[in-house]
Amino acid sequence: MRRLFLSMIVLLACGSMALAQTTKEERMKYIRKCYAEAKKKVDANGKNGKSPKDMRLVINRLEDEDVPLYDTEQLDFYFEEKIVDGLATKQPPYFIVEDWGNHGHLRYREVLLDPKDYQVIFCYMRGETDAGFVVESRYYYDAEGQCIEEKHNTSNSWTMPETEKENAEYYVRLFNMLTYNGYFTPLDLDKPKKSTTPKAERLKHIRALYAQAKEKSAANDKAEMPNDLHITIHDLGDDQPPRTMKTRIYFDKDGIYFINQSNKSMQLDSYSEFLFEPKTKDLIFSYSRGGEEGQMYEWRYYFDENGDCIETKTNNTDETDDGFYDKRAAKDFQAIFDLLNGDEE
């Protein structure tokens, strides 16, 4: 009996110690410590002989052609890599920054993730209207994701702890999609078959649309108010030569019509293009080239109305996949675009 009584005292004491370690004051101290460490890592990113590990997303869009509200948003994600089974593996971002502007209205955000489990632990938002009215909000979260402290500079807050946390988690999901960090969009392989046009007619149609898309995207590059999405990723720095991947997605009011992507390092130099049907937004053509051991290879895939490859042109006869991986990449790009526009199913 005495032994049982002593055991209960020890258990209660341990429980009290655990509780003491997770008090609000301790949690706030931990969050501030993580924030200071994250800011140091962001400041050191790409310095001291180390390659940068970050991703920048910039989306420019005309919200309404009748009412010219032009929207520009920039998201910066900072992440680290771990060597897993000899491979550099991306970790979720530890810090995220958003800059948004629309005709004099500004918004700046910071999101801090716990370096232990990558859960959102702090959100900061500063908003400013074109009239100069400024709103600032800070939210601190416990290990269960509950807000334990919020601070505002005015009673007219624009945000809530729940919505800011949801927004931060949306950013993390976007990062995972953009970096293929455990995310791939499934292909719809069971959809009903459509009737197809003759091959010669289809190829003529694709070539005409390609010429139009190239002309349209070139005009967009020079436009005062372009509609495009830029994605730049720096990674693979410590165990491999620094690599930069740049993706540019062109879209109009109906969706994506053209994408180009480059991937460069000391060992790699590749380039890809994706062309979409204006009416259905299905991938109809893809092109890619890449160098290997001094040899440059090219692949062109032409697709019918069902997404089946009807023509392949390549100088590498030993390696072709009928455009399967290009179709998957196109699906991923469309899913990212839909998420950014709130059209995700």
Side-chain angles (χ1 to χ4, degrees):
M1 186 69 180
R2 180 172 178 273
R3 187 174 298 172
L4 177 62
F5 180 70
L6 291 173
S7 298
M8 290 178 64
I9 291 176
V10 171
L11 287 172
L12 287 171
C14 291
S16 298
M17 290 174 62
L19 183 63
Q21 291 174 350
T22 56
T23 62
K24 176 180 174 179
E25 291 73 17
E26 288 292 321
R27 182 65 177 180
M28 296 282 286
K29 183 178 179 181
Y30 174 72
I31 292 173
R32 292 189 177 105
K33 177 176 176 289
C34 290
Y35 181 86
E37 292 174 349
K39 292 288 281 188
K40 285 182 180 180
K41 285 194 287 187
V42 168
D43 291 340
N45 183 55
K47 299 177 182 177
N48 302 320
K50 292 188 176 182
S51 65
K53 293 181 176 62
D54 55 48
M55 179 179 73
R56 171 166 290 182
L57 181 152
V58 179
I59 183 166
N60 306 299
R61 53 193 164 192
L62 185 62
E63 295 288 352
D64 192 324
E65 292 183 354
D66 297 324
V67 182
L69 294 176
Y70 193 67
D71 187 295
T72 299
E73 182 176 13
Q74 177 177 302
L75 289 167
D76 289 307
F77 302 80
Y78 298 90
F79 61 92
E80 294 180 307
E81 291 176 332
K82 291 183 179 178
I83 305 301
V84 179
D85 297 329
L87 297 174
T89 304
K90 295 183 187 68
Q91 303 301 303
Y94 60 85
F95 200 71
I96 304 169
V97 176
E98 180 210 43
D99 275 296
W100 172 89
N102 186 314
H103 286 259
H105 299 282
L106 305 173
R107 184 178 65 233
Y108 174 81
R109 275 195 176 105
E110 291 181 347
V111 174
L112 175 68
L113 281 79
D114 193 322
K116 297 178 181 177
D117 56 14
Y118 302 104
Q119 298 300 306
V120 177
I121 59 176
F122 173 72
C123 294
Y124 168 76
M125 192 284 296
R126 184 185 189 277
E128 183 176 350
T129 68
D130 57 354
F133 180 72
V134 176
V135 173
E136 282 189 292
S137 297
R138 292 171 173 82
Y139 299 103
Y140 303 79
Y141 302 90
D142 64 16
E144 284 70 46
Q146 300 299 314
C147 182
I148 57 172
E149 180 75 29
E150 55 182 284
K151 297 180 179 182
H152 309 277
N153 72 326
T154 174
S155 58
N156 296 320
S157 174
W158 294 352
T159 58
M160 296 185 296
E162 297 81 12
T163 56
E164 281 301 283
K165 183 170 179 289
E166 288 175 3
N167 187 75
E169 291 169 344
Y170 154 78
Y171 288 157
V172 174
R173 185 180 181 194
L174 185 60
F175 173 86
N176 290 335
M177 293 174 72
L178 289 162
T179 59
Y180 300 103
N181 191 31
Y183 180 91
F184 289 96
T185 307
L187 291 174
D188 185 4
L189 301 176
D190 299 324
K191 61 183 180 181
K193 292 290 186 179
K194 305 175 185 176
S195 59
T196 60
T197 56
K199 178 179 176 180
E201 184 179 338
R202 180 68 174 177
L203 292 176
K204 182 179 179 180
H205 172 69
I206 291 172
R207 292 186 179 110
L209 284 180
Y210 179 82
Q212 293 172 15
K214 292 287 281 188
E215 183 178 348
K216 187 175 179 180
S217 59
N220 182 83
D221 292 344
K222 301 175 183 178
E224 184 178 352
M225 294 189 293
N227 283 309
D228 51 30
L229 171 62
H230 303 248
I231 305 163
T232 304
I233 305 176
H234 300 108
D235 67 339
L236 298 178
D238 293 339
D239 65 327
Q240 298 184 40
R243 184 179 75 181
T244 298
M245 179 186 292
K246 292 184 178 181
T247 305
R248 193 157 185 177
I249 299 176
Y250 297 89
F251 59 89
D252 54 24
K253 60 183 178 62
D254 297 319
I256 300 172
Y257 62 86
F258 190 67
I259 297 173
N260 62 47
Q261 183 179 73
S262 64
N263 201 337
K264 292 186 177 182
S265 74
M266 292 177 62
Q267 296 178 342
L268 178 69
D269 186 357
S270 65
Y271 175 79
S272 303
E273 293 180 343
F274 303 84
L275 176 68
F276 297 82
E277 173 69 50
K279 296 179 181 178
T280 63
K281 298 306 172 186
D282 293 329
L283 180 70
I284 61 174
F285 171 74
S286 66
Y287 165 77
S288 60
R289 67 170 181 261
E292 183 180 359
E293 296 180 352
Q295 176 68 44
M296 184 65 70
Y297 295 102
E298 293 184 305
W299 296 265
R300 290 175 175 84
Y301 298 106
Y302 301 79
F303 304 97
D304 66 11
E305 290 85 344
N306 294 307
D308 296 325
C309 183
I310 57 172
E311 181 80 26
T312 299
K313 293 186 176 182
T314 179
N315 61 343
N316 185 356
T317 56
D318 296 332
E319 186 178 344
T320 180
D321 56 19
D322 289 333
F324 174 82
Y325 292 103
D326 288 353
K327 288 192 289 184
R328 164 161 279 174
K331 273 285 188 182
D332 289 333
F333 287 132
Q334 287 176 325
I336 290 163
F337 182 79
D338 289 344
L339 181 63
L340 283 165
N341 286 278
D343 298 329
E344 186 186 34
E345 297 181 356

